[in-house]
Amino acid sequence: MNVLIFDLKVEGITPAALRVHSCEKAENLINMAITLDPEYIIIHADQADWLLDAYSKSPNRLKADIIVVCPISTPQVIREWTSKGAAMAWNELNWENELHGLIDVPASSQTEVQHVLEHSPGMSQIITVGSTYGGAGSTHTAFLLASFLARHCKTKVALVERGSNPCFHQLDEFHNGQKNSFRPRFEIDRLTLFKGTGSSKWVDSATDDFQYVVVDMGDIEQSEDTQAFFRSSLPVLVASASDWRFQELHDFIKRNNVHRQDRMRIAFPMASDEAMDALTTVMKNRLLFSLPPHGDPFTRQEDTDEVLESILFPLMPKRSKGPLARLFGRQN
């Protein structure tokens, strides 16, 4: 759902299915509303009169419902604003709670998980893996996901290096004895690794032959193409469950709330049950996963496989027999 806000500031984490666009200049508001076609425009009472007047003069161009946020919201005040054309009037003390209430979030189920595209034969599935800070574990998580897909689906998987701290050259030397090799790609087991030095267009063409493509984007804050992370078939964000690292995750989600986030999974390496419980309470309607300690991503580990299967479930081929007995992350 698209929402356009003006003369207001969102402080908390919005629901994953809500895309919030902010407008800072009154002269741009109408054009942004026409371009974005939001379901709602939310505006403070101090600025609402001129917008409602413009709305009444061009009903065919502005289709969004207008919500007015005001200092008080008595029945009389609400009637005054609705008589001018507003759909609703919210109190400014709790308007963010009302904003969250616009999303009717379905309960977690085994048949629908946050509107992620399901597996389609013959179609390349792109899984992007990024982190909220350098060293959080995006590369290790990308290897875990790629190795699991290759082993579980019995297919070759492309693993593309796109972070700001490339390491595939060293890996090529360690596994294959290719010291100072400038070849752009090499193989380990069923994985085909593309080094970060290769041309992005060339890599995009080469990976068309793979059923699954895992892209390690490293620290998303250092990436020049954040949109690529959110536009993939399945974005996986790696973050820390530590209290002192939560602000980085909070800021990332808030800063990117114009992007669709309901497909995004958030993985926390080695997070405790207590930390996951606390995060679930704070981050309502987010798909959160705790990754167990797993040293060698090329080896199978049952507890890790359970979590990875839950993360990747919508992109996995459907099983011919029996239900999928997995939890799809923690949701409220």
Side-chain angles (χ1 to χ4, degrees):
M1 175 186 290
N2 278 319
V3 173
L4 180 59
I5 65 172
F6 179 76
D7 198 28
L8 294 163
K9 186 176 180 180
V10 177
E11 298 292 344
I13 296 178
T14 55
L18 194 64
R19 282 176 279 183
V20 179
H21 306 265
S22 298
C23 180
E24 297 179 355
K25 296 182 179 180
E27 58 266 27
N28 295 337
L29 184 57
I30 300 298
N31 285 336
M32 285 188 67
I34 295 171
T35 302
L36 295 171
D37 192 24
E39 283 84 351
Y40 298 95
I41 300 175
I42 305 176
I43 188 168
H44 195 273
D46 293 342
Q47 302 284 346
D49 281 316
W50 72 267
L51 177 62
L52 290 168
D53 182 60
Y55 183 84
S56 65
K57 293 177 180 177
S58 56
N60 294 328
R61 299 181 68 195
L62 294 175
K63 300 178 181 180
D65 287 332
I66 297 176
I67 300 174
V68 179
V69 176
C70 40
I72 58 174
S73 55
T74 63
Q76 181 180 356
V77 169
I78 294 173
R79 283 194 298 270
E80 288 177 358
W81 284 115
T82 54
S83 67
K84 294 179 181 180
M88 290 173 272
W90 293 343
N91 192 296
E92 63 183 14
L93 294 178
N94 63 351
W95 76 273
E96 282 198 52
N97 291 333
E98 299 283 2
L99 175 65
H100 294 190
L102 292 176
I103 300 294
D104 183 15
V105 180
S108 175
S109 71
Q110 292 185 351
T111 57
E112 182 180 5
V113 184
Q114 295 293 62
H115 312 293
V116 178
L117 294 175
E118 291 189 355
H119 168 79
S120 178
M123 176 181 175
S124 292
Q125 305 287 2
I126 311 296
I127 299 114
T128 49
V129 184
S131 60
T132 55
Y133 63 93
S138 69
T139 300
H140 191 79
T141 303
F143 269 101
L144 286 172
L145 291 166
S147 182
F148 172 82
L149 285 167
R151 183 176 65 253
H152 190 81
C153 301
K154 295 178 172 58
T155 184
K156 282 189 173 295
V157 175
L159 179 55
V160 181
E161 185 178 45
R162 276 285 168 262
S164 58
N165 188 24
C167 62
F168 282 14
H169 272 297
Q170 293 89 336
L171 193 62
D172 191 9
E173 177 182 347
F174 179 79
H175 274 269
N176 302 312
Q178 294 291 327
K179 191 172 183 179
N180 299 322
S181 173
F182 292 99
R183 59 179 180 173
R185 59 186 284 178
F186 62 99
E187 294 190 0
I188 299 178
D189 296 334
R190 288 179 176 265
L191 302 186
T192 300
L193 283 71
F194 292 83
K195 297 176 182 177
T197 53
S199 164
S200 60
K201 290 184 179 180
W202 179 84
V203 170
D204 288 343
S205 176
T207 54
D208 280 345
D209 296 331
F210 294 86
Q211 184 175 343
Y212 297 102
V213 180
V214 180
V215 182
D216 174 22
M217 300 188 68
D219 183 358
I220 294 293
E221 302 293 4
Q222 302 298 321
S223 173
E224 297 179 355
D225 192 8
T226 306
Q227 282 192 345
F229 173 76
F230 287 103
R231 285 184 175 178
S232 68
S233 305
L234 193 144
V236 179
L237 183 67
V238 182
S240 171
S242 301
D243 293 342
W244 58 89
R245 286 287 191 180
F246 177 73
Q247 191 63 42
E248 290 160 321
L249 175 59
H250 176 278
D251 292 344
F252 175 85
I253 291 175
K254 182 181 173 183
R255 191 161 45 247
N256 292 283
N257 61 11
V258 297
H259 298 293
R260 178 177 178 178
Q261 296 186 11
D262 57 340
R263 291 188 300 226
M264 183 173 70
R265 279 87 168 101
I266 306 177
F268 300 92
M270 298 180 290
S272 66
D273 290 341
E274 293 78 9
M276 292 301 294
D277 288 341
L279 287 165
T280 301
T281 301
V282 175
M283 304 184 66
K284 296 180 179 179
N285 188 38
R286 299 278 172 172
L287 288 169
L288 312 179
F289 300 85
S290 174
L291 286 172
H294 192 136
D296 184 354
F298 294 102
T299 61
R300 183 181 180 277
Q301 191 170 300
E302 186 173 352
D303 56 350
T304 304
D305 278 4
E306 289 184 2
V307 178
L308 297 175
E309 187 172 0
S310 299
I311 292 174
L312 294 164
F313 163 69
L315 303 185
M316 301 285 287
K318 291 183 178 179
R319 296 188 177 187
S320 57
K321 294 181 180 180
L324 181 67
R326 296 284 184 267
L327 297 176
F328 301 128
R330 299 175 177 233
Q331 276 188 301
N332 267 6

